[in-house]
């Protein structure tokens, strides 16, 4: 289910999803938005199936059903959304072209251990993986698609049991590793020179993390030289963790904040599906990111009533309740349309009033 989070502070519960997507036969464990195409959403479930959806129409675009023989651990897009990388319980890392529905590269056992592997795309199409050695030591690896047999870099870290979750910042080429059950975040810089993966530092805290979320770059506070913000999941709370670079000047730091992908899509879903690719549309963070108003998702489902029957000689219909003559059907459709317009107008009025109420309550605080 996809939900619209309004710009204003709602005063009543949002109980209805904008659209419900149905296609998996078992629990859905992974969802990921396409990085450059509008309304394209990926989902992967415990049925070993990857589905791509057009959320704007509620339709299934593609189903990748014969590629994974076991549970899918994670799925990641490359920068322009032309390729996917997946990890699976069958110990394989696959690079998939979703539109051709082909596996273009595959690596069996990039890490020798039996515990889960994670993989993400990093700069220049390289792939970064985390896993375990045969001796249950946690490892990280860097791989080149052109030579998938041998890693560019393979490092052992420690003997903890927690699966390492990688988060990548393309602007600074930094990978943050958050282990489930750990109370620390390690971060590494990825470069073009040996040893390719350079350890930078470790953030430590007292409480272990159950999960971790990553703020998009445009959500950071550039006036405080904030380069990353995590949301650490505890048992009963969610704690923000802020990473900053200490600078004496309070001016905008160009080296910390190159132009970064914004929220506006570079492609429509149909263009991407037809084979077109586009790089993300970049925005400057010099004055901070200001969201565009009314970025609401419009779901347009195809309506069979919109395709009217061809004109022809009208037959006489019986007066049974289940039968409609053509003029009567058009009257009903017209009345439905008018009612829908009234409902939409009332919903907009309610939203405006809630917005005003939110401003009023904020003012009284």
């Amino acid at each position: 289910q996809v939900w619209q989070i309004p710009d204003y502070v709602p005063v009543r519960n949002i109980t209805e999803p904008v659209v419900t997507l149905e296609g998996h036969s078992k629990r859905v464990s992974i969802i990921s938005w396409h990085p450059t195409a509008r309304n394209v959403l990926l989902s992967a479930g415990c049925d070993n199936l990857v589905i791509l959806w057009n959320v704007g129409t509620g339709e299934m675009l593609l189903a990748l059903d014969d590629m994974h023989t076991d549970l899918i651990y994670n799925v990641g897009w490359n920068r322009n959304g032309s390729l996917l990388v997946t990890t699976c319980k069958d110990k394989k890392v696959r690079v998939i072209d979703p539109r051709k529905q082909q596996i273009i590269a595959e690596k069996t056992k990039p890490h020798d251990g039996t515990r889960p592997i994670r993989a993400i795309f990093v700069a220049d199409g390289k792939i970064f993986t985390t896993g375990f050695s045969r001796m249950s030591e946690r490892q990280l690896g860097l791989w080149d698609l052109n030579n998938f047999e041998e890693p560019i870099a393979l490092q052992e870290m420690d003997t903890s049991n927690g699966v390492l979750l990688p988060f990548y910042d393309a602007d600074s080429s930094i990978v943050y590793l958050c282990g489930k059950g750990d109370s620390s975040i390690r971060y590494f810089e990825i470069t073009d020179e040996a040893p390719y993966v350079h350890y930078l530092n470790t953030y430590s805290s007292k409480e272990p993390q159950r999960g971790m979320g990553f703020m998009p770059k445009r959500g950071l506070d550039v006036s405080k030289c904030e380069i990353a913000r995590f949301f650490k999941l505890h048992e009963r709370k969610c704690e923000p963790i802020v990473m900053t670079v200490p600078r004496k000047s309070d001016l905008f730091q160009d080296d910390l904040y190159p132009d970064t992908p914004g929220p506006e899509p570079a492609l429509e879903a149909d263009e991407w599906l037809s084979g077109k690719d586009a790089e993300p549309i970049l925005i400057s963070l010099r004055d901070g990111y200001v969201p565009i108003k009314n970025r609401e998702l419009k779901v347009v489902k195809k309506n069979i009533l919109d395709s009217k029957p061809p004109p022809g000689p009208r037959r006489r219909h019986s007066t049974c309740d289940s039968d409609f003559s053509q003029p009567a059907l058009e009257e009903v459709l017209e009345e439905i349309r008018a009612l829908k317009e009234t409902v939409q107008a009332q919903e907009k009025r309610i939203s405006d009033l809630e917005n005003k109420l939110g401003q009023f309550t904020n003012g009284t605080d």
Side-chain angles (χ1 to χ4, degrees):
Q1 293 180 329
V2 182
W3 304 78
Q4 182 80 47
I5 309 300
D7 291 334
Y8 58 87
V9 179
V11 295
R12 59 200 165 104
N13 288 339
I14 304 170
T15 56
E16 292 298 319
V18 181
V19 63
T20 299
L21 309 171
E22 297 179 4
H24 288 281
S25 61
K26 293 185 180 178
R27 180 170 62 90
V28 176
S29 53
I30 298 164
I31 54 171
S32 177
W33 290 102
H34 191 284
T36 61
R38 188 192 308 274
N39 294 344
V40 176
L41 180 69
L42 175 149
S43 64
C46 297
D47 49 7
N48 311 337
L49 178 64
V50 176
I51 298 179
L52 294 159
W53 308 87
N54 183 345
V55 176
T57 60
E59 294 176 321
M60 186 188 297
L61 295 176
L62 296 166
L64 311 177
D65 52 359
D66 293 327
M67 297 187 177
H68 300 89
T69 60
D70 211 328
L71 180 69
I72 301 166
Y73 285 140
N74 89 299
V75 181
W77 295 97
N78 67 346
R79 186 172 171 84
N80 68 0
S82 59
L83 296 174
L84 296 171
V85 61
T86 69
T87 60
C88 183
K89 197 174 181 180
D90 62 9
K91 301 188 180 72
K92 290 184 180 180
V93 174
R94 297 170 173 87
V95 179
I96 298 169
D97 185 325
R99 289 168 296 191
K100 293 180 181 175
Q101 302 193 29
Q102 288 179 350
I103 297 171
I104 63 169
E106 190 174 80
K107 173 64 180 172
T108 303
K109 295 184 79 169
H111 302 277
D112 291 329
T114 56
R115 292 184 56 73
I117 300 167
R118 294 287 187 273
I120 55 171
F121 275 104
V122 292
D124 303 322
K126 295 184 178 70
I127 290 171
F128 182 90
T129 60
T130 63
F132 292 79
S133 71
R134 192 177 281 111
M135 305 300 291
S136 294
E137 293 171 305
R138 293 199 290 193
Q139 290 181 325
L140 56 86
L142 188 66
W143 308 79
D144 189 342
L145 266 183
N146 298 321
N147 181 15
F148 218 4
E149 288 306 309
E150 292 297 323
I152 302 172
L154 189 67
Q155 295 182 22
E156 292 180 349
M157 291 176 54
D158 55 29
T159 53
S160 177
N161 289 329
V163 176
L164 286 167
L165 308 177
F167 295 90
Y168 178 60
D169 175 17
D171 297 338
S172 59
S173 291
I174 293 176
V175 169
Y176 299 87
L177 298 182
C178 311
K180 278 191 178 180
D182 288 5
S183 54
S184 62
I185 302 171
R186 294 180 180 87
Y187 37 111
F188 299 79
E189 184 178 10
I190 297 178
T191 65
D192 295 329
E193 300 169 359
Y196 303 105
V197 181
H198 302 262
Y199 170 76
L200 294 177
N201 209 337
T202 299
Y203 166 87
S204 296
S205 59
K206 292 180 181 178
E207 293 187 66
Q209 56 236 16
R210 294 189 158 221
M212 199 69 81
F214 196 41
M215 169 67 82
K217 208 64 179 283
R218 59 184 181 275
L220 303 182
D221 187 344
V222 297
S223 66
K224 295 179 180 174
C225 295
E226 185 181 351
I227 60 165
R229 188 188 308 166
F230 290 90
F231 294 94
K232 177 178 175 179
L233 185 64
H234 298 258
E235 186 174 354
R236 297 185 181 277
K237 65 180 179 179
C238 184
E239 175 195 2
I241 295 173
V242 174
M243 306 274 188
T244 57
V245 175
R247 294 278 171 94
K248 290 183 178 178
S249 171
D250 57 358
L251 299 174
F252 180 75
Q253 307 292 317
D254 293 280
D255 59 326
L256 295 183
Y257 303 108
D259 287 355
T260 195
E264 290 304 308
L267 292 170
E268 296 298 326
D270 293 341
E271 292 178 306
W272 177 78
L273 189 61
S274 68
K276 196 172 177 184
D277 289 323
E279 292 299 309
I281 296 174
L282 304 182
I283 58 170
S284 171
L285 298 178
R286 178 171 289 277
D287 300 314
Y289 170 66
V290 180
I292 300 165
K293 290 293 180 188
N294 299 325
R295 292 187 63 250
E296 290 196 4
L297 171 65
K298 298 285 190 292
V299 179
V300 184
K301 292 192 176 179
K302 289 174 180 162
N303 189 344
I304 56 168
L305 295 177
D306 287 343
S307 52
K308 294 179 181 176
R314 289 197 183 117
R315 295 177 299 168
R316 187 179 295 277
H317 286 260
S318 70
T319 57
C320 177
D321 287 344
S322 62
D323 290 337
F324 281 106
S325 66
Q326 185 66 26
L329 178 61
E330 289 181 356
E331 281 176 22
V332 172
L333 291 175
E334 188 58 42
E335 190 171 348
I336 290 171
R337 273 194 285 270
L339 282 170
K340 281 183 176 176
E341 287 174 6
T342 304
V343 170
Q344 286 173 349
Q346 294 296 343
E347 285 183 347
K348 186 176 185 305
R349 178 71 179 144
I350 289 169
S351 295
D352 292 342
L353 289 171
E354 285 178 340
N355 209 359
K356 286 181 181 176
L357 182 60
Q359 291 171 356
F360 176 75
T361 53
N362 288 339
T364 55
D365 288 347

